[in-house]
Each structure stands twice: as C-alpha cells, then as structure tokens.
Amino acid sequence: MTTDPGFIHRFVPGTAPGRAPLLLLHGTGGDENDLLPLGREVAPGAALLSPRGKVMEGPMPRFFRRLAEGVFDTQDVIRRAAELAAFVEAAQGTYGIGKPIAVGFSNGANIAAAMLLLHPQALAGAVLLRALAPVDPPSPPALEGVPVLVLTGNADPINPVPKAQRLVDLLAAGGADVEHVVVAGGHGLTQKDVEHMAAWLARH
Ligand code: MLT
C-alpha cells in the first residue's frame, strides 16, 4: 500500500545543542499546536516536531482509526505507524535534527507505542502518557537499551494499569529500558506527570 508520509506539522528549532529533539504527538481531538507548551516546559531548548494526526473521527484528528473506545482498526494502526515513521525519518533530513524522543499523550502515546513495537529503529526513546499496546508485534521488537518512560494514572478508565503494564512487558521483552510510573489520577495529565517527564528527559 502506498502512503503519503506528509503531515501538517509545526517545527520549532532547538536552542540547547545537548537536548534530543522531541516528537510531540497529541491526543484525540488535538492538533499540532497542543503539546508545544508542554514540550517547552519539560525540555527547554529542545527542537520540537509536532505533526497533526491525519485520521478524522468526526471533527477530531487522531493518529489511527478506532472502531469504538479502546477497539482499534489494527490494519490502520500498522499503516499509520509506518507512515509516521517515514515522516519522522524525512523530517530529520529536512530540519537537520537527530532521531527524536517521542512524547505522546493518549492516542498520541498509542501511536508512539505502535512505532516502538513495529518500527523500533524510528525513535531514540519515548515518554508515553496514558498508553497501552495498540498492536501485537509479530516478534519482540529490537529495542535494546532504548529508554522509555510510561506514565499511567491509577484511576484511568481508558488506559488502565493492567493494559499499560502489558505494553511495558512487550517493550521490556524487546530489551527497552522501560520505567513505568503510576501516578494518582485519571486519564488527564497531572503536575506529577510533568515533573516525572521533565526529570526523565533531563537524564536522556
Ligand atoms: C485511543 O483511541 O488511542 C485511546 O483510546 C485513547 C484516546 O484517544 O482516547
């Protein structure tokens, strides 16, 4: 299947040379502007690449199609993860940046998880906020030493702890250096998430 790797996006050049660029991936109904303030807060001076999901659910952009809440169109997940991986690779040449660390929230975290599981070479690492495994990899992904922070709300009804844990197990089976932090909260982000992310990103 041919896909158009182009995405509507924002790019903010980095000003702190030591910082890895961030790939910012919004949640359902968000857009390319949503996570720029968060990116600036948790990684000051990092280059920011922020695409808009191409799949429309009514008026709401997403990164892949779902049939119902938590019921995903697997073929679309596979196709969109490939498309986003191609976009990220092309953007590195276009903007002269290195491989990015993904920071994704909700649907954005789930497409980042799909990229890690299906295209393990695409990302330098990831912060997954309220994520689960949107797809089963055909074999353990080659993620030796790739750092991943998974932040889960202990009362999240959409991405509950056991589902997040399954993702953590799949990533760890591929050799990723995964840290799973469960914070007090639901699906929405809390100040604790921001603090954990900022501290983790400062180390990576
Ligand atoms: C998804 O569809 O990826 C998850 O259910 C999270 C969401 O976007 O609501």
Side-chain angles (χ1 to χ4, degrees):
M1 186 185 308
T2 55
T3 52
D4 172 8
F7 281 75
I8 294 169
H9 66 278
R10 296 271 309 269
F11 175 72
V12 179
T15 54
R19 281 264 187 200
L22 299 187
L23 172 70
L24 301 174
L25 300 167
H26 63 78
T28 302
D31 67 21
E32 66 278 16
N33 299 306
D34 265 30
L35 295 185
L36 293 175
L38 179 68
R40 288 192 184 100
E41 182 175 352
V42 296
L48 304 175
L49 177 65
S50 186
R52 184 194 302 181
K54 290 186 197 179
V55 174
M56 297 306 289
E57 187 176 280
M60 301 188 295
R62 287 175 50 83
F63 285 96
F64 57 81
R65 199 169 157 261
R66 66 178 166 185
L67 310 174
E69 178 69 62
V71 184
F72 304 139
D73 176 339
T74 305
Q75 286 313 310
D76 197 59
V77 175
I78 292 168
R79 173 184 164 197
R80 301 294 175 178
E83 203 175 55
L84 191 55
F87 166 74
V88 168
E89 193 180 344
Q92 287 170 58
T94 305
Y95 295 117
I97 55 171
K99 217 184 254 194
I101 292 178
V103 172
F105 169 64
S106 190
N107 181 245
N110 289 345
I111 193 71
M115 286 168 77
L116 289 169
L117 295 172
L118 301 176
H119 301 278
Q121 77 298 336
L123 298 170
V127 177
L128 306 177
L129 303 155
R130 310 300 186 265
L132 45 69
V135 69
D136 281 317
S139 54
L143 288 169
E144 200 55 50
V146 174
V148 182
L149 173 65
V150 179
L151 281 158
T152 304
N154 69 348
D156 183 350
I158 299 173
N159 288 12
V161 175
K163 288 194 176 177
Q165 186 58 47
R166 185 162 172 277
L167 170 62
V168 168
D169 294 344
L170 286 170
L171 295 170
D177 176 11
V178 200
E179 203 176 309
H180 188 196
V181 178
V182 179
V183 298
H187 197 63
L189 289 189
T190 68
Q191 187 53 36
K192 279 274 171 247
D193 290 293
V194 175
E195 288 166 15
H196 280 295
M197 290 169 72
W200 187 92
L201 284 165
R203 295 200 306 273
H204 293 91

